[in-house]
Amino acid sequence: MRRDTRRQGENTRAVHLPSPPAPQQSPVGLPVWRTSAFAFADAAEHAGLASGHVANPTAEAFAAGLAALEGAGLDGDPVEGEAFGSGMAAVTAVFLAFARSGAHVVAPSSMYGGTRDLLTGTLGRFGVDTTFADLGDADAVRAAMRPATRLVWAETLGASGLEVPDLPLLAELAHEAGALLVADSTLATPVVCRPLEHGADLVVHAASTFIGGHGDATGGAVIGRPEPLEAVRRVRSETGSVLAPDEAFLLRRGLETLPVRVRRQCDTANLFAAAVAGHPGVRAVDYPGLPGHPGHELARRLFTAGPEGTRFGAVVTVTPHGGRDAGPALVDALRLPLVAASLGGTHTTVAHVASTTHPRLDEAAVRFSIGLEDVDDLVRDVTEALDTIGRALGSAAPPSPRPPAQTRLAAEPH
């Protein structure tokens, strides 16, 4: 843009400060484009852009980076990403894109509470009908399908019971019915599983958790092939669910360490789950890495295996003996984990799920999101906490031998 070289007033000079030239060398770190608008060279260039708006490059860099990770094994098939201001904004955009009034959705009986509330609340009031089914039962899924079914919604790792869905089978059933399969892969990340490789049409992430990895940024993303993603992109534009550049920078930076962090968290979680399952004060441990978990073999088939073994995720649910009082007591007796609603960061976090996020789970269940601490320290902490609540509640472990359902919970060999 040409500059007016005539003498200008101080207000004009302040507003029209000179811009630095773009560096000739490529920056090592991603620049933050902290701007909400871009100036065009002339009216013709502005008119040539259909929306009249230029997407923020920092947000686009984050979405493109996550798309590259999710589409890593698709042999050149184009995969794109769209960034959102939160995980629920991304979830909402998918439903608004494909589930208009009169549409039907099939969703897991046990799922993330926020998504369930959206389906039964806002979307239900706008005429979207949902059938909640056991997605592990092919007959139940077939029975749930209707001519109006537009979406089958799955969670790569169930947010409540850490269920593992058969993604290839669900993709087959959804596509037979003319529906799309959408996988919320927040708890898995592309380091553990890439649903697009198993037939999913779209993948949704709440990027505030493992992807960001440090509990300091909020965002979400939808990843998929260009055709279905275009409908999601239009909803994002129409609803203004944009990701701010500073948040995008933090989330994009998190992608660079995602494999290192998540691999170690999964490895620690596997060892942690096996050690805790052997404690006499524990009634059950839910973790796909344990052979007793109903999704263990399916996870071994669908989830990524590295030199450390199959990655089963970094969330472990521990249910102590002692009933509902034992859950909060265990949370309060721990010293290392932070009591927090979020998960997926460097700190191990813990929550009594029945009184917070998942009231349908066992009333004593406690969810651990494993961080980057040493596994010996975490095991020592939870062991001491279990011993403490066992004495306090008078609910010492049942006499040996433990029930068969518990004795088979041993870690997968590395």
Side-chain angles (χ1 to χ4, degrees):
M1 182 179 295
R2 295 177 299 171
R3 296 184 59 82
D4 190 340
T5 57
R6 295 173 295 179
R7 183 172 179 82
Q8 298 169 328
E10 64 179 9
N11 297 309
T12 302
R13 295 197 308 271
V15 171
H16 292 270
L17 296 172
S19 299
Q24 294 182 354
Q25 295 76 28
S26 298
V28 175
L30 177 71
V32 182
W33 290 84
R34 196 179 286 111
T35 181
S36 59
F38 291 83
F40 299 94
D42 50 37
E45 184 184 17
H46 189 191
L49 189 68
S51 67
H53 176 73
V54 179
N56 185 277
T58 314
E60 288 205 318
F62 161 65
L66 185 53
L69 295 179
E70 281 289 0
L74 292 179
D75 297 327
D77 286 354
V79 175
E80 298 177 359
E82 194 66 28
F84 290 82
S86 69
M88 280 307 300
V91 169
T92 302
V94 172
F95 286 120
L96 291 180
F98 301 105
R100 64 190 65 186
S101 178
H104 176 249
V105 175
V106 176
S109 302
S110 178
M111 66 185 304
Y112 174 60
T115 307
R116 187 184 185 99
D117 290 344
L118 175 67
L119 287 167
T120 59
T122 301
L123 293 175
R125 293 195 299 272
F126 280 87
V128 176
D129 191 21
T130 304
T131 298
F132 297 98
D134 178 3
L135 298 192
D137 184 339
D139 291 335
V141 176
R142 288 190 181 94
M145 292 291 189
R146 302 178 188 172
T149 302
R150 295 293 174 265
L151 291 174
V152 175
W153 189 272
E155 295 175 342
T156 311
L157 267 174
S160 54
L162 300 176
E163 300 86 357
V164 180
D166 190 335
L167 293 174
L169 177 60
L170 290 178
E172 179 182 339
L173 296 176
H175 296 159
E176 284 177 357
L180 298 178
L181 173 63
V182 182
D184 181 339
S185 207
T186 297
L187 295 191
T189 81
V191 178
V192 174
C193 182
R194 294 175 294 280
L196 296 176
E197 296 178 10
H198 302 295
D201 298 286
L202 293 169
V203 180
V204 177
H205 286 281
S208 318
T209 58
F210 288 97
I211 288 172
H214 293 78
D216 55 5
T218 301
V222 181
I223 309 298
R225 293 175 177 83
E227 184 177 358
L229 193 66
E230 180 57 32
V232 177
R233 183 175 289 117
R234 288 197 299 270
V235 171
R236 186 203 58 75
S237 178
E238 292 168 3
T239 59
S241 304
V242 297
L243 178 64
D246 288 287
E247 304 285 285
F249 169 79
L250 293 170
L251 297 175
R252 166 61 171 71
R253 186 177 64 175
L255 293 179
E256 297 183 7
T257 61
L258 182 67
V260 177
R261 289 185 286 105
V262 173
R263 283 201 307 264
R264 187 168 184 278
Q265 287 169 309
C266 290
D267 195 34
T268 300
N270 201 42
L271 297 170
F272 174 84
V276 174
H279 191 284
V282 171
R283 179 157 55 86
V285 173
D286 291 311
Y287 181 66
L290 299 174
H293 189 279
H296 177 72
E297 291 303 323
L298 187 58
R300 286 173 60 90
R301 178 159 58 89
L302 298 181
F303 290 0
T304 299
E308 74 283 2
T310 304
R311 300 162 188 165
F312 295 102
V315 178
V316 181
T317 301
V318 177
T319 305
H321 289 284
R324 184 176 180 85
D325 291 342
L330 175 57
V331 170
D332 293 343
L334 294 164
R335 297 179 180 179
L336 278 179
L338 304 177
V339 182
S342 189
L343 49 81
T346 57
H347 293 82
T348 294
T349 60
V350 64
H352 177 236
V353 290
S355 62
T356 54
T357 56
H358 298 94
R360 295 172 183 81
L361 279 188
D362 190 292
E363 61 182 6
V366 174
R367 184 188 67 187
F368 288 79
S369 173
I370 303 299
L372 297 180
E373 299 92 345
D374 292 299
V375 64
D376 291 344
D377 294 327
L378 291 173
V379 170
R380 183 185 309 110
D381 189 30
V382 73
T383 298
E384 292 174 354
L386 287 165
D387 292 343
T388 298
I389 68 168
R391 291 191 297 269
L393 297 175
S395 57
S400 294
R402 293 191 298 272
Q406 190 169 348
T407 56
R408 66 171 182 260
L409 297 180
E412 178 192 46
H414 280 40

